[in-house]
Amino acid sequence: MGFVHAQAWQAIPEAQLVGLVDTDPNLLKTLGESIGVSGFPNLDTALREVDVDIIDICLPTHLHREAAEAALAAGKHVICEKPLALSLKDARAIIDAAAAAKKQILVGHVLRFFRVYQKARQLVLDHTLGQIGTIKTFRGGSYPKGWHDWYGDPAKSGTLATDLLIHDFDFLMWCFGPVERVYAKSLAGHITGAADHVLASLRFKSGPIAHVEGTWAYPKGFSYAFEIAGADGLIHFDSADKGPIHTLLRSGSERNASVEVPESPVEISPYQAELAHFLEVITHDALPVVTAEDGYNALAVSLAVRDSIQSGEPVLLPGRTGGES
Amino acid sequence: MNIAIFSFAHMHAYSYARSLKDLPGVTLKVVADDDVERGRQAAETFGARYVRDYQDALKEPLDAVIVTSENSRHAEMTVAALQAGLHVLCEKPIATRIEDGHRMVQAAHDAKKLLQMAFPMRYNIPAARLKQQLDQGRLGRILLMNGTNHGKNPGGWFIDPVLAGGGAVMDHTVHIVDLMRWYTGSEVREVYAEIDTRFHPIGIDDTGLLTLEFENGVIAALDPSWSRPQRSFPTWGDVTLEVVGTEGVTHLDAFAQHLVLYKEIAGQAQHLGWGDDPDLRMLESFIACIRAGTPPLASGHDGLQATQVALACYESARLARPVKISQ
Ligand SMILES: NC(=O)c1ccc[n+]([C@@H]2O[C@H](COP(=O)([O-])OP(=O)(O)OC[C@H]3O[C@@H](n4cnc5c(N)ncnc54)[C@H](O)[C@@H]3O)[C@@H](O)[C@H]2O)c1
C-alpha cells in the first residue's frame, strides 16, 4: 500500500513526497531510487532529517498506533491506512492524541473515493431506489502476501473481518448509518493455512439488512461487487465483469502462453483523490470525508463481527462511538 | 472567455453547455437558435442571452462558438464564425458534403483560428489509455480492428436526408473511424459497405456493416447501426473496438464503467455511467488550446477525413462494390 500511496502522492502537483520510511533497506533503495525520494530506516530519523506536514502511515496494522502517536506528538497531520487500529482502545488513543496535538487524521477508507461507490450512495440518498431492503457485497480474492506474513497473524491484522471487510462496513455505514447487530460465520481453521472466508449479516438501525462476504481463499485474483435492492429499484456492479479495457498478450515462446490484463482506468485514481482531499482538509482546516470517528465505528463493527464468529451468537453494537472493548 | 452555442438542434449541445458551467473563467454568453421555443428555453436554463439569428450573435464580444446545428448547416455557421475571428468547436460529422468540409478547413486556415471537431471519444479515458498503450507498442504492430458504435433511432432531423445528409452511417461511422485513424496513424484507403433500412420505418439508412482497409494494410470492420431496441436496451448504444496486434489483442468497451439500475417505473434496465465525462474533458481541452494557442487534439482535417469515409461507404453501397478513397 505504501507503494500505491507513493505513486498517488507523486501525481499531486501541490504535494511533494520527501521521504520513505521502511525497515527493509533493499526496498528503500529500489523504490527510493525509482521514484527519486530519500529513504529512512525509522520515523525518528525521518522526522529529524526532513521537514514534513503529513505522515502517511501504510504500516502493518499492529504498528499503526505507535507510528500515529509519534507523528502526532511531533506535530504532524496523519493519514492512517485502515483499520485505524486493532482495538477500540488503541483507536481511541490515536483520536485523543490528534485532539491533543490539534492535528487532523484521515483513515484510509478509500471506497469513499471510488466513483462507483459514490454513485451508488447517491442513488440511495436521492431515493432513486426507494426504501432499501437488502444489500449484498463481495470483496476478495487470493490470500495477500504481506511482510513476514503479518496478514495471517490475528494479533497483527485482526483477521479478515477487520482487515478486509472493514471497507464494506465503512461504506455501508456511510450510506445507512449505525449498525444495530451483526451475526457472522467464517471458514478460518477449516481451510488451508491462514486463508479465511467470512459471511457477515448486518442489521442497520435505519432498517436495511446487509450480507457482507469477504475472502482470502480464492485460487487467484481480486474483485469486488455489490447489489443494493430497494422498493423502487435495484442496482448492481461487479468489478469482475469485463471492464473497458481487456487485453490478452502473447507471452514468452510457448505457443499458447498468454497473460490477461483487465483495466478500468479513471483520470484520478481513488487513492490520489483520497490524498488530495486530505491536503484540502489540512489547508482549510475542514472536516474530512472520513472522520476519525468513522474509522473508530467501522472498527467497532469489524470487532463485533469477529466476536460473533467466535461466540456463534449475534452481537449488539453499542451506540455510535460507544463503550470501549 | 465568452462562448456562444449555435443551435440546440443536436442534443449534445446540452451536455456541452453543462460542461461550460464547470469551467473556470468561461461563460456561455449567447444561444442562437432558429427554433425560438427551444432556443429561449436553453438560454434560460444556462443563463445566456437568446438570439434567433446566429448572424446577430457574431456582433457580440465572443471568443469562440460551438456549432451544434443540423449537420447540413455546420458549414455556413462555422465559416461565418471563423471569418468573424472566432474559434469553433464543431459537432461531428463536419459537414454533409466534402466541398463544405474543405471550405471549413480553409476558413480556419485563413482566419488563423482553431477549428476543433467534437470527437469526444479521444477524451474518453479508456480509449485514450488504449491510445497510449498502442503508442508504446504494447500490442506490437496493429493488424486488424473491429468496432461498433451502435445506437437507437434518434428521430427528428437526424432522419431527414437533407438536414442530416445520411442516417446511421453518417451519424455513427465517424466516431470509430476517427479512433481507428488515431490509433493507426493511417488513412482509410478503401471501403466496402452494405447499407439498408431494416430496423425502423424511416426514410433513411439505419443499418450499415462496413469493411475498411487502411493505407498501412490494417483491415477493419465497423457496425454503426441504429440497431439497439428503442425501449428495452439499457443505454443509448455503445462504443467498442477490438484491436488485434502482432503481440496480443485488446477489447475496448468505452462505456463499460457503469452500474446497472433496474427501476420498476422505467420499465427497462438502465446503465448509469460512473467513469470520467469525455464531454467535459473535451471542452476543457478546447478552451486550453485557445488560451495556449496550440492545435486541437482533433482538427477540422480529422473531421474531413472521417466524413470522407462515411460518404465513400454510401457510394460503395450504391455501387455494390469497393470504393477507393483518394487522398
Ligand atoms: N486501502 C486499501 O485498499 C488497503 C489495501 C491493502 C492494505 N491496506 C492496509 O495498508 C497497511 C499496509 O498493508 P500492506 O499490504 O501494504 O503491507 P505490506 O506487508 O505489503 O508492507 C508493509 C511494509 O511495512 C514495512 N515495515 C514493517 N515494519 C516496519 C517498521 N517497524 N517500520 C517501518 N517499516 C516497517 C515492511 O518492510 C513492508 O515494506 C495495512 O494497514 C493494511 O490493512 C489497505
Side-chain angles (χ1 to χ4, degrees):
Chain A
M1 207 21 60
F3 182 61
V4 173
H5 279 223
Q7 280 184 318
W9 279 120
Q10 291 205 309
I12 301 173
E14 297 79 22
Q16 203 193 342
L17 183 61
V18 291
L20 306 172
V21 178
D22 203 292
T23 41
D24 178 351
N26 292 328
L27 189 139
L28 278 187
K29 193 165 167 342
T30 44
L31 177 61
E33 274 172 13
S34 77
I35 63 175
V37 176
S38 336
F40 302 96
N42 53 56
L43 185 57
D44 281 348
T45 320
L47 287 171
R48 264 200 315 275
E49 305 263 326
V50 281
D51 185 21
V52 297
D53 303 297
I54 299 171
I55 303 287
D56 179 355
I57 300 169
C58 300
L59 289 166
T61 306
H62 66 292
L63 301 170
H64 285 184
R65 176 176 169 177
E66 188 193 338
E69 285 180 337
L72 290 164
K76 311 300 177 191
H77 298 287
V78 165
I79 296 175
C80 184
E81 258 308 338
K82 47 44 67 180
L84 179 55
L86 285 177
S87 70
L88 292 178
K89 184 162 152 276
D90 286 352
R92 180 57 62 203
I94 297 174
I95 295 173
D96 290 345
K102 297 198 170 54
K103 295 289 153 191
Q104 296 262 22
I105 333 176
L106 184 80
V107 188
H109 288 294
V110 73
L111 290 204
R112 297 197 188 203
F113 299 90
F114 275 68
R115 298 275 196 74
V116 66
Y117 284 96
Q118 291 170 345
K119 181 102 194 169
R121 177 173 181 261
Q122 179 205 325
L123 294 167
V124 169
L125 297 193
D126 71 13
H127 307 292
T128 301
L129 305 180
Q131 174 173 300
I132 305 301
T134 56
I135 307 104
K136 289 172 67 70
T137 71
F138 173 86
R139 177 172 311 278
S142 58
Y143 180 70
K145 273 205 240 7
W147 169 79
H148 293 298
D149 196 21
W150 69 270
Y151 280 104
D153 182 349
K156 293 180 174 148
S157 70
T159 76
L160 183 143
T162 44
D163 189 80
L164 191 65
L165 292 184
I166 198 166
H167 281 295
D168 298 289
F169 297 154
D170 174 66
F171 168 68
L172 292 169
M173 285 193 280
W174 192 38
C175 296
F176 305 107
V179 173
E180 183 168 323
R181 63 174 172 270
V182 305
Y183 181 73
K185 292 188 175 298
S186 149
L187 285 184
H190 300 280
I191 40 179
T192 42
D196 195 0
H197 197 138
V198 172
L199 299 175
S201 170
L202 275 61
R203 180 91 204 197
F204 288 85
K205 287 202 166 73
S206 61
I209 311 160
H211 260 182
V212 178
E213 177 179 8
T215 184
W216 281 340
Y218 271 23
K220 71 169 197 170
F222 175 79
S223 69
Y224 48 94
F226 60 80
E227 172 193 289
I228 304 179
D232 299 335
L234 164 75
I235 51 174
H236 70 72
F237 173 80
D238 188 343
S239 74
D241 288 348
K242 222 170 169 191
I245 303 183
H246 192 92
T247 299
L248 289 168
L249 290 176
R250 287 177 221 292
S251 78
S253 50
E254 274 172 73
R255 217 176 129 66
N256 294 317
S258 75
V259 283
E260 205 175 325
V261 201
E263 289 165 86
S264 186
V266 284
E267 187 166 24
I268 295 180
S269 81
Y271 298 96
Q272 187 184 331
E274 174 185 64
L275 303 182
H277 170 65
F278 193 59
L279 278 189
E280 290 284 309
V281 165
I282 64 167
T283 311
H284 304 292
D285 200 23
L287 199 64
V289 161
V290 193
T291 64
E293 292 300 331
D294 292 335
Y296 181 96
N297 289 324
L299 180 62
V301 172
S302 299
L303 295 174
V305 163
R306 214 172 63 184
D307 289 347
S308 175
I309 290 168
Q310 266 155 22
S311 67
E313 299 291 336
V315 174
L316 288 175
L317 266 294
R320 288 215 114 169
T321 313
E324 306 290 287
S325 83
Chain B
M1 179 108 35
N2 292 327
I3 315 283
I5 294 185
F6 284 3
S7 178
F8 274 68
H10 201 295
M11 54 279 194
H12 289 169
Y14 294 92
S15 164
Y16 301 159
R18 271 195 301 277
S19 297
L20 290 178
K21 282 220 166 303
D22 289 341
L23 298 177
V26 178
T27 317
L28 176 60
K29 272 273 181 238
V30 187
V31 168
D33 202 323
D34 57 1
D35 183 323
V36 179
E37 165 97 27
R38 182 178 66 199
R40 273 196 197 291
Q41 193 129 68
E44 197 184 314
T45 308
F46 298 107
R49 208 165 77 72
Y50 168 73
V51 298
R52 189 186 168 138
D53 186 345
Y54 74 91
Q55 293 284 356
D56 292 335
L58 294 175
K59 297 170 200 143
E60 305 269 330
L62 294 173
D63 299 284
V65 170
I66 298 174
V67 175
T68 25
S69 54
E70 299 83 351
N71 298 344
S72 64
R73 304 192 59 203
H74 288 176
E76 159 202 350
M77 290 180 175
T78 299
V79 170
L82 289 165
Q83 285 175 349
L86 307 177
H87 302 283
V88 175
L89 174 69
C90 180
E91 184 56 43
K92 48 54 54 176
I94 189 166
T96 50
R97 297 180 310 179
I98 252 351
E99 313 82 84
D100 286 344
H102 278 298
R103 273 202 301 128
M104 294 160 78
V105 171
Q106 188 62 44
H109 182 262
D110 293 345
K112 298 194 172 53
K113 295 289 162 193
L114 225 70
L115 171 55
Q116 177 170 343
M117 278 317 293
F119 280 139
M121 291 317 298
R122 293 201 189 198
Y123 297 93
N124 169 278
I125 292 280
R129 181 67 57 93
L130 177 54
K131 161 74 176 162
Q132 227 175 39
Q133 294 172 346
L134 294 170
D135 286 352
Q136 289 160 1
R138 190 188 199 192
L139 294 186
R141 189 161 50 81
I142 302 176
L143 303 171
L144 175 151
M145 288 179 288
N146 192 352
T148 65
N149 182 194
H150 293 124
K152 301 177 178 178
N153 170 16
W157 64 264
F158 284 91
I159 56 173
D160 178 327
V162 176
L163 291 174
V169 172
M170 193 65 177
D171 190 31
H172 276 182
T173 299
V174 292
H175 281 302
I176 306 297
V177 165
D178 182 63
L179 277 187
M180 289 175 169
R181 291 179 58 247
W182 195 40
Y183 287 167
T184 57
S186 184
E187 298 297 345
V188 176
R189 151 167 88 194
E190 191 183 86
V191 305
Y192 175 81
E194 296 283 359
I195 299 177
D196 205 342
T197 304
R198 304 194 55 81
F199 295 108
H200 310 282
I202 53 178
I204 206 162
D205 58 286
D206 59 14
T207 311
L209 291 177
L210 320 178
T211 310
L212 315 175
E213 190 177 303
F214 284 75
E215 280 170 352
N216 65 358
V218 169
I219 57 171
L222 170 53
D223 179 355
S225 305
W226 289 337
S227 52
R228 303 303 94 175
Q230 294 291 111
R231 277 182 302 278
S232 56
F233 197 70
T235 185
W236 53 268
D238 64 27
V239 169
T240 72
L241 188 66
E242 172 198 25
V243 183
V244 179
T246 48
E247 304 303 319
V249 181
T250 289
H251 284 265
L252 170 72
D253 180 356
F255 295 96
Q257 291 169 320
H258 62 253
L259 285 169
V260 184
L261 167 68
Y262 302 86
K263 204 163 155 64
E264 215 60 280
I265 56 163
Q268 74 182 100
Q270 279 168 271
H271 289 179
L272 303 178
W274 52 263
D276 292 287
D277 176 4
D279 284 355
L280 176 61
R281 300 188 72 246
M282 178 172 77
L283 268 297
E284 212 165 40
S285 149
F286 177 57
I287 301 296
C289 287
I290 294 176
R291 286 188 174 136
T294 46
L297 186 57
S299 66
H301 173 74
D302 294 309
L304 195 56
Q305 293 298 114
T307 298
Q308 192 143 342
V309 174
L311 291 171
C313 286
Y314 283 111
E315 174 79 352
S316 164
R318 197 173 58 80
L319 301 172
R321 62 169 169 74
V323 165
K324 287 210 182 320
I325 299 178
S326 50
Q327 290 303 326

